[in-house]
């Protein structure tokens, strides 16, 4: 799955003295990073961070890194992002069909994608509650959050135990 992490998007709660509105400082700069990730029912996670937009070429680079050195074919369940089904990606997948299979989720069904929980965890539970100063700070905190989640195999496995994502873990563990 893919997601954008921008400087301006923040969520969370704060508090202040009764009767006065709390002041929260925010970054007014634009910019951010795009992240591709993959999670497995075994609790593994791979990711790639870039400043560039995610397109067919970038996605193919990511897929090539995933299948490099694998002994068994990789089966991916992906959403309907335009680059997932582009002509370039289809051609590349056909050329590597013995090492990679891609299945598409129905349109507008993020609840079926276990990898969406990565973005919920990173955006809402980690980065969204931190004061980000600038793009360099965002990059440092983004990598830290991704590495932290990557080490939490049990947490990643839990993404596959939700009622809508159980299908993705059947006969895999």
């Amino acid at each position: 799955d893919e997601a954008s992490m921008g400087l301006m998007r923040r969520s969370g709660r704060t508090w202040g003295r009764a009767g006065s509105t709390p002041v929260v400082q925010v970054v007014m700069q634009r910019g951010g990073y795009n992240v591709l990730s993959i999670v497995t029912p075994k609790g593994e996670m791979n990711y790639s961070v870039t400043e560039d937009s995610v397109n067919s070429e970038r996605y193919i680079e990511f897929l090539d890194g995933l299948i490099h050195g694998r002994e068994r074919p990789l089966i991916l369940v992906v959403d309907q992002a335009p680059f997932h089904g582009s002509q370039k990606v289809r051609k590349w997948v056909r050329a590597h069909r013995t090492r990679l299979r891609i299945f598409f989720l129905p349109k507008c069904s993020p609840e079926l994608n276990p990898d969406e929980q990565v973005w919920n965890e990173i955006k809402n539970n980690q980065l969204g509650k931190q004061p980000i100063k600038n793009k360099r700070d965002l990059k440092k905190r983004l990598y830290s959050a991704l590495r932290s989640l990557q080490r939490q195999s049990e947490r990643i496995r839990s993404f596959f135990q939700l009622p809508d994502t159980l299908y993705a873990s059947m006969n895999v563990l």
Side-chain angles (χ1 to χ4, degrees), residues 17 21 44 76 80 85 125 150:
R17 191 175 290 252
T21 304
E44 300 164 347
L76 293 179
Q80 299 277 342
N125 298 341
Q150 190 177 40

Side-chain angles (χ1 to χ4, degrees), residues 79 105-117 165:
D79 60 18
L105 291 169
K107 289 185 179 188
C108 302
S109 57
E111 71 280 0
L112 299 176
N113 189 348
D115 210 8
E116 289 291 341
Q117 298 304 315
T165 60

Side-chain angles (χ1 to χ4, degrees), residues 69-88:
R70 285 187 63 90
E71 294 179 15
R72 294 176 45 186
L74 180 63
I75 299 171
L76 293 179
V77 179
V78 299
D79 60 18
Q80 299 277 342
F83 59 85
H84 286 153
S86 72
Q87 290 296 330
K88 285 183 181 180

Side-chain angles (χ1 to χ4, degrees), residues 67-136:
I67 65 170
H68 182 74
R70 285 187 63 90
E71 294 179 15
R72 294 176 45 186
L74 180 63
I75 299 171
L76 293 179
V77 179
V78 299
D79 60 18
Q80 299 277 342
F83 59 85
H84 286 153
S86 72
Q87 290 296 330
K88 285 183 181 180
V89 170
R90 285 187 212 192
K91 183 178 177 183
W92 189 88
V93 169
R94 274 194 299 274
H96 296 86
R97 68 177 157 254
T98 60
R99 301 174 65 201
L100 177 73
R101 298 279 187 207
I102 294 184
F103 297 92
F104 292 92
L105 291 169
K107 289 185 179 188
C108 302
S109 57
E111 71 280 0
L112 299 176
N113 189 348
D115 210 8
E116 289 291 341
Q117 298 304 315
V118 169
W119 310 128
N120 179 46
E121 183 71 25
I122 299 296
K123 288 183 174 184
N124 297 327
N125 298 341
Q126 293 190 29
L127 293 183
K129 296 181 180 183
Q130 297 180 15
I132 305 293
K133 297 174 190 152
N134 52 40
K135 195 168 177 180
R136 185 175 52 193

Side-chain angles (χ1 to χ4, degrees), residues 7 27-29 130-138 140-141:
L7 282 170
V27 175
M28 295 308 293
Q29 298 171 337
Q130 297 180 15
I132 305 293
K133 297 174 190 152
N134 52 40
K135 195 168 177 180
R136 185 175 52 193
D137 188 37
L138 173 64
K140 182 181 90 172
R141 290 173 188 261

Side-chain angles (χ1 to χ4, degrees), residues 135-151:
K135 195 168 177 180
R136 185 175 52 193
D137 188 37
L138 173 64
K139 184 176 185 178
K140 182 181 90 172
R141 290 173 188 261
L142 174 59
Y143 273 104
S144 176
L146 288 165
R147 281 191 303 268
S148 173
L149 182 59
Q150 190 177 40
R151 289 189 298 264

